[in-house]
Amino acid sequence: MSLKKYLQQFSKEQLIEQILELNKKYPEVKTYYEFTLNPQSNAQADKVKKKIHKLFNPPFGQDPRLREARSEVNGFKKLSPPEERLADVMLRYVECGVEYTNNYGDINEPFYNSVSGMFHDAGAFIQKSGLQNHFKQRCKEIMDDTSGIGWGFHDDLSEYYYMFFEK
């Protein structure tokens, strides 16, 4: 039986009850409906950016949780937010990575690959969305903040900055 056929057997009131139950039971469903009901709100983007910051700044002695931070970005992307908000969240990931490196010194190649990969993805998305003027200065500041960081990190961010913002 398909989901559509399954749902067609219920009345409107029963479907509403099922959706309300899903909303209570599953945080992802609640997040989806909160965002759907108020897509212009910054609340969800702010929540994701705070979570990313927290994942990049775990308790002393623990490594940043990059996979979870990237998952937060991808989860936010699934909500289909306005392009400007998605770019903002993507850049927050990069800013947190740069901040972490500047606070704690050189990290490792996989760390830099993750952060520079997100900078590339953000730059490509910003360019595709026609938002270069809005994010150009912020991206330049991110790139400049990597000056002196090893593993070719600054070189990668510089290459991506010029690729997407200085053509």
Side-chain angles (χ1 to χ4, degrees):
M1 176 184 292
S2 71
L3 178 60
K4 185 175 182 177
K5 282 186 180 182
Y6 173 75
L7 294 174
Q8 286 175 339
Q9 70 184 350
F10 297 105
S11 70
K12 180 179 176 180
E13 292 76 23
Q14 289 171 318
L15 289 172
I16 290 171
E17 286 303 315
Q18 281 196 8
I19 292 170
L20 290 173
E21 184 63 30
L22 290 171
N23 191 60
K24 279 187 215 173
K25 196 171 190 178
Y26 298 102
E28 299 87 5
V29 173
K30 184 175 182 174
T31 299
Y32 171 79
Y33 279 110
E34 285 174 353
F35 189 79
T36 300
L37 293 170
N38 196 0
Q40 298 307 316
S41 170
N42 288 328
Q44 189 60 33
D46 291 344
K47 182 178 173 182
V48 170
K49 289 190 302 183
K50 285 178 187 172
K51 179 89 183 224
I52 290 168
H53 185 266
K54 185 176 180 178
L55 291 166
F56 267 95
N57 294 281
F60 185 75
Q62 295 181 18
D63 292 332
R65 297 189 343 234
L66 299 178
R67 184 169 300 176
E68 289 177 52
R70 186 173 283 276
S71 180
E72 288 293 324
V73 174
N74 291 331
F76 185 68
K77 192 182 294 185
K78 288 178 184 176
L79 295 174
S80 300
E83 293 167 337
E84 191 172 310
R85 279 210 200 84
L86 178 55
D88 177 42
V89 167
M90 295 171 82
L91 290 176
R92 185 65 187 135
Y93 179 98
V94 179
E95 289 165 336
C96 288
V98 172
E99 179 184 306
Y100 184 86
T101 301
N102 284 328
N103 287 339
Y104 298 104
D106 278 345
I107 312 301
N108 57 36
E109 189 174 10
F111 177 91
Y112 294 126
N113 288 343
S114 179
V115 177
S116 66
M118 183 65 76
F119 191 73
H120 175 275
D121 294 350
F125 179 76
I126 289 166
Q127 184 181 59
K128 185 182 108 189
S129 303
L131 296 169
Q132 292 101 319
N133 289 338
H134 184 78
F135 288 103
K136 182 178 181 177
Q137 183 60 39
R138 183 173 171 189
C139 288
K140 182 169 184 348
E141 289 170 10
I142 291 170
M143 176 193 66
D144 289 344
D145 285 346
T146 64
S147 180
I149 296 176
W151 295 90
F153 186 52
H154 178 70
D155 296 338
D156 287 347
L157 267 63
S158 295
E159 178 184 339
Y160 300 147
Y161 173 80
Y162 288 103
M163 179 187 305
F164 297 116
F165 295 97
E166 295 293 339
K167 277 187 167 183

